[in-house]
Amino acid sequence: MPHTPDTSDAPEDDDGLERVRAPQPVYYAEQALLGALLLEPRRLADTGTLTAGHFYNHSHAALFTAIRTLPAPEPADHAKDTAWLTKVLEHARPKARGLSASYLHGLIQFCPQAKHAAAYARMIRADHARRTLRLHAERLAHTAADTTGPNPTAATLIQADALGRVLDDLAGQFAPHPGSLPRTPPITAVARHGSEEDLDEERCLLATATAYPAEVQQMRWLAAEDFIWPLHAKLWQCVTTLVHRGDMVDPVTVLGEAQLRGLITDALTARDLMALVSTPAGSPEYWGENVLRRALLARAHTVATRITAYTDDLANTPHQLVTGSRRALADLNALRTRWHHATSPVPATRPARARATAAPRAGPPPTTAPPAARLSR
């Protein structure tokens, strides 16, 4: 029977003519189910918890609503006339004016087996789960990328919580099965890019951490992987290694640790490294929270991209989508736990550590970074 697929985003051939995009498999499942219900209304009992909101096509959703709303006809009467079909059409047409009597009869002809209505309903619910998960992943990605709001981190974590609730709900709707992990190839990690301000803040952290190692002892919530620039991550490891070993920390001892790790090269001279860790400004915790905040937002965007890739792969079952997405979200939650430790107030039972307020921008080192720091980006 003829169908009317959406062509609003259809690609074009080289000659500029628009090609009609083939409908998704769920389109045919919706047609088959509606055909089964129009042919044998009693099959509505086989659709379980299916609602009009599960449908991808608006007209199909309107028809399903009409079928569920109107009393089912007697089988004998339904076999003799089309009165009930006419009522269904009249009920659905105000919400889907493109519907016609011929389309309803075409749906009946298209249905392979009315007794398979339950299977068609499962396909519709599975595709709705895929679309729902993709929508929430896109919201998470968009929120993580939008830093214009008053509190991007809180907004991102709210979206992550919403995504987690969706996963919990879907987990209860679809039974587990062997091979629960998605078969989608892992996405290629995208390198993080930072601004000049991000560069300055990471440099400020390294310098203040070198100047105030006692505060670094309390900053186990910050990891080398949170830094944008690999050189800065390695230097942070140098500082924290000295601190946790109980060694003396100053620019020279950091230089010595960096030398042992093979960081001193023609590209990064001893003079460059000394300059990098010798101009403190503000508090290590202040700069550390900024670094961690950016890492959390970047991780949220990566997780959202990963989940979106799972939903784009039609070979994944709902259970595989849930399992893979939960694992992806766990990566974000691990960083979120560290963020909570970084930003939680100090318990009243312990004396609060002195925490300096960040100095004005006149305090940080010059905006022109040492040559080696620039090369490390």
Side-chain angles (χ1 to χ4, degrees), residues 141-159:
H142 175 76
T143 305
D146 183 10
T147 58
T148 61
N151 194 337
T153 307
T156 297
L157 294 179
I158 288 174
Q159 290 298 332

Side-chain angles (χ1 to χ4, degrees), residues 137-284:
E138 289 175 342
R139 288 176 178 171
L140 177 60
H142 175 76
T143 305
D146 183 10
T147 58
T148 61
N151 194 337
T153 307
T156 297
L157 294 179
I158 288 174
Q159 290 298 332
D161 287 339
L163 177 59
R165 289 192 294 270
V166 168
L167 290 172
D168 290 341
D169 181 60
L170 293 178
Q173 295 181 30
F174 299 94
H177 56 74
S180 57
L181 292 178
R183 292 169 285 183
T184 308
I187 61 174
T188 304
V190 179
R192 294 173 59 192
H193 299 284
S195 65
E196 288 296 322
E197 182 179 359
D198 299 337
L199 172 63
D200 276 351
E201 290 189 353
E202 289 193 359
R203 294 177 64 225
C204 283
L205 171 59
L206 294 173
T208 52
T210 303
Y212 308 110
E215 290 196 31
V216 176
Q217 185 70 39
Q218 310 299 326
M219 294 175 61
R220 295 179 182 272
W221 40 262
L222 188 66
E225 66 192 46
D226 300 328
F227 287 76
I228 298 176
W229 283 270
L231 172 62
H232 295 170
K234 294 174 182 177
L235 289 177
W236 176 252
Q237 290 176 322
C238 291
V239 174
T240 55
T241 297
L242 292 172
V243 169
H244 298 318
R245 281 205 310 244
D247 291 347
M248 291 174 284
V249 182
D250 60 34
V252 175
T253 59
V254 173
L255 173 63
E257 185 67 23
Q259 180 182 2
L260 295 176
R261 293 172 180 259
L263 300 183
I264 306 303
T265 64
D266 292 340
L268 177 66
T269 66
R271 183 188 298 273
D272 292 333
L273 193 147
M274 289 281 289
L276 188 60
V277 297
S278 297
T279 315
S283 161

Side-chain angles (χ1 to χ4, degrees), residues 345-353:
V346 177
T349 55
R350 288 168 37 192
R353 298 192 310 273

Side-chain angles (χ1 to χ4, degrees), residues 26-40 43-44 46-47 50-51 55 60 64 67 107-108 110-114 116-125:
V26 69
Y27 185 85
Y28 298 104
E30 290 180 3
Q31 287 185 324
L33 175 63
L34 291 173
L37 298 180
L38 292 172
L39 181 64
E40 300 181 15
R43 298 291 178 183
L44 183 63
D46 299 337
T47 61
L50 189 71
T51 68
F55 282 74
H60 292 170
F64 186 75
I67 293 171
L107 290 173
I108 294 174
F110 177 81
C111 178
Q113 293 283 346
H116 295 168
Y120 306 146
R122 285 195 297 270
M123 292 178 63
I124 296 170
R125 289 176 56 242

Side-chain angles (χ1 to χ4, degrees), residues 38 62-63 66-67 70 82-97 99-101 104:
L38 292 172
L63 276 175
I67 293 171
L70 296 174
T82 61
W84 186 75
L85 295 179
T86 301
K87 292 180 181 179
V88 169
L89 180 60
E90 291 175 349
H91 190 282
R93 185 173 283 172
K95 294 184 179 180
R97 298 191 177 279
L99 290 174
S100 64
L104 269 62

